[in-house]
Amino acid sequence: MKKSVIKNKNNIMQYVIALAAGCLVFAIMQGIHDNYGIMLDGIVAYSKISYASVSFVIAVGQIMYGITQPFFGMLAIKKSNAFVMFAGIILMAAGLIVTPFCTQVWSLLIFFGILLPAGTGALCFGIIMGALAPIIGEKRAAVASGIIQASAGIGDAIMSPILQQLTEFKGITVSMPVFSAPILLMLPVVLWLGYKKRKTNNEQNEQIQLKEDTPKESLFTILKSSLCERTYWCLLIGFSTCGFHMSIIETHLFSQYIESGIPGNLASLTLTVYGIFTMLGAIITGFLGQKLRMKNILTGVYGIRILIALAFIFIPKSIPFAFIATGILGLTGDSTVPPTTGIISNKVGVAKMAVVYGSIFIGHQIGAFASAWLGGILVSTNLGYNALWIVDLCLCTIAAAASYKIKD
């Protein structure tokens, strides 16, 4: 009896440590990925590369973040999740250390547009959950996924003001290499996760063998059946719009606040508020999904984004506005994920969800690419940020209508 109690306690402790490790890795990765906007101004000031060119590089990075995830997912199957995360850490560190010294667009594209985003793709949500699932078990995986997703907000909240302060006082040549330190410190954590997964796999070898013997549909078959569904296309329209909207926040919002006369330290603090409220938004829509139709939740989220876009177009950008508006942006930030994954899971099942969600997420990053690049062009041609918010307003209106047409 005592041995059983001790074993249960050890298991619980192992689950907690593994979950904390996953949250730490994901929070640091997301804290870097979501703060390209702060890095943008520092890179422009030091390298003298134009705002439009750096925006284009960030746009390429958004695409890289999306398209590398399926590749790293396949690599994780052949090698291991720990191997992929190890590679991601090295790629991110290389990008952070070398990028500040890139004074040509081609070199900036390699390190800031390809290597750094590819590293973040290797540390994406799916890879981390793939490493954690065998350790924590399938029953706890659903709860763990919500906690891991929420940790992204913690990364944003802590890292945004630190990055801004370092960039303002020491320059981008100090702030970005310094930010490579926390990601490199994750190497032992990743190695530990890999060791625990191998140990767990050895203990559950028979169960794993049974799962491997279960027939699986091919990637092509799953995607072909999804493409025939109206729901898939409606979700793709919505998630592509979501990517466009989110990239405004990650790439251009900080610069817009600075241009409006808001001090840099307060502008970065609004991103801390954003990080905190993204956690709340995801939790709220997760609970609402148990009470309301998920397509109505998605429609409501895009409807709120329409109102936010109108506010950015017509209301002067004061400090109170910045904090209130960024808080509302945070509430709608990750709040599309729970209803989107819920609709996909109900439609195709849990086993196929990763494939279908992954393909829709590529649409999300295409939208992010368009936003980052278009924003740079509009600002550089003096059309300004209002023009970008007008485009966002139109897209959110289309996304709200598409979401309402979903059959869930």
Side-chain angles (χ1 to χ4, degrees), residues 8 11-12 15 19 129 135-145:
N8 287 335
N11 286 340
I12 291 171
Y15 301 148
L19 184 58
M129 282 304 300
I135 302 172
I136 63 179
E138 291 184 3
K139 292 182 179 179
R140 297 178 179 86
V143 176
S145 65

Side-chain angles (χ1 to χ4, degrees), residues 8-67:
N8 287 335
K9 286 183 178 179
N10 290 337
N11 286 340
I12 291 171
M13 184 59 66
Q14 176 177 287
Y15 301 148
V16 171
I17 294 172
L19 184 58
C23 286
L24 194 60
V25 175
F26 191 66
I28 291 174
M29 181 282 289
Q30 204 69 39
I32 292 170
H33 175 267
D34 289 350
N35 282 308
Y36 290 157
I38 295 177
M39 300 175 199
L40 188 156
D41 283 349
I43 291 170
V44 170
Y46 181 79
S47 67
K48 307 305 179 185
I49 299 173
S50 70
Y51 186 97
S53 296
V54 180
S55 296
F56 174 75
V57 170
I58 293 176
V60 172
Q62 296 286 8
I63 289 288
M64 286 298 298
Y65 178 65
I67 64 175

